[in-house]
Amino acid sequence: MKKADVFDFYRRLAEDDPHPVTELEYGNPFQLVVAVALSAQSTDVGVNKATRALFAEVDTPAKMLALGEDGLKRHIKTIGLFNTKAKNVIALSQLLVDQFGGEVPSTRDALERLPGVGRKTANVVLNVAFGQETFAVDTHIFRVGNRTGLARGKTPLAVELVLDKVTPGPFRVHAHHWLILHGRYTCKARTPECWRCIVRDLCAFKPKTPAPKSAASKETKDA
């Protein structure tokens, strides 16, 4: 994608949604770390349902340790891989208490030392909790980057590095949220909704997906 098109791509997404936010519900950086760790191979909707009662009770690593692994499992048993995730959350809570004074660190290296926290999770926390210019490449961003031609790469890290290189200054803080939401609701995995996409003329994907008959009929009627 040409430099001018990249700027226009982000400009349109920004105008459509000026203040994008994560769809995970949290109250502080610790709860955000937990929510993101729980969201692996799970939906944000499913995680939010499980964490509402949990976060009403637990808002610090010390309280998570007091709850214990079995208590945590009772809250998150509806989430996939909940046994492994519970172990990781308890372990990362212990590490935060032992080595970080109960506070969530604001560097990628420190975050990646926490059990269950990889590069993507660290990038989300750095961006959302600390306002850093990071690009958390999940399946949505990986797909959007490659499909549109915005940032092509064979691995999430490769796509992340391209995004870091090509994303203009005004859009860097919110870029990964715009791309995630675009992939989640418009540039979908199986059938992208090209017919209603605000950046379709800038996108390299071909052939563009036509509108379903019901939508096409409505557009004709509205016109």
Side-chain angles (χ1 to χ4, degrees):
M1 193 177 291
K2 296 178 181 179
K3 187 174 181 180
D5 289 342
V6 171
F7 189 94
D8 202 27
F9 184 98
Y10 280 117
R11 179 188 61 77
R12 296 183 197 180
L13 295 180
E15 288 179 353
D16 186 60
D17 185 4
H19 304 290
V21 295
T22 179
E23 293 187 326
L24 289 170
E25 298 173 2
Y26 69 98
N28 60 32
F30 172 67
Q31 291 182 338
L32 177 63
V33 171
V34 172
V36 180
L38 294 177
S39 71
Q41 301 181 47
S42 302
T43 66
D44 288 359
V45 172
V47 171
N48 289 338
K49 287 181 179 178
T51 58
R52 282 177 192 135
L54 172 66
F55 289 165
E57 179 181 349
V58 174
D59 59 359
T60 67
K63 290 181 181 179
M64 186 66 76
L65 293 175
L67 178 66
E69 188 174 322
D70 288 339
L72 176 57
K73 285 180 182 180
R74 286 194 290 272
H75 281 284
I76 66 171
K77 61 185 178 181
T78 57
I79 300 175
L81 306 175
F82 74 92
N83 284 314
T84 298
K85 291 176 180 179
K87 289 180 181 180
N88 285 336
V89 169
I90 294 299
L92 73 82
S93 298
Q94 188 69 62
L95 195 63
L96 288 173
V97 169
D98 292 344
Q99 298 187 19
F100 298 98
E103 299 295 325
V104 175
S106 59
T107 67
R108 181 184 287 110
D109 288 345
L111 285 167
E112 288 189 27
R113 287 168 52 194
L114 302 176
V117 175
R119 186 178 182 91
K120 185 195 76 173
T121 297
N123 281 341
V124 172
V125 175
L126 292 173
N127 179 267
V128 176
F130 301 109
Q132 296 184 27
E133 297 176 352
T134 58
F135 304 87
V137 179
D138 66 351
T139 55
H140 295 301
I141 292 184
F142 186 78
R143 178 176 66 255
V144 171
N146 278 285
R147 182 183 278 169
T148 63
L150 173 67
R152 288 196 166 117
K154 293 183 178 180
T155 65
L157 178 59
V159 170
E160 178 188 334
L161 295 177
V162 175
L163 286 173
D164 192 27
K165 181 179 179 180
V166 305
T167 302
F171 308 113
R172 293 178 64 83
V173 171
H174 293 311
H176 94 265
H177 279 128
W178 285 315
L179 296 176
I180 287 173
L181 295 172
H182 189 64
R184 184 172 290 165
Y185 298 112
T186 302
C187 195
K188 300 177 182 179
R190 292 187 178 181
T191 307
E193 297 182 359
C194 304
W195 51 275
R196 66 178 189 86
C197 175
I198 61 175
V199 292
R200 58 183 173 271
D201 57 309
L202 304 174
C203 173
F205 178 70
K206 295 179 181 179
K208 297 292 191 290
T209 307
K213 291 182 179 179
S214 58
S217 299
K218 184 179 185 302
E219 288 182 356
T220 301
K221 187 180 296 184
D222 291 344

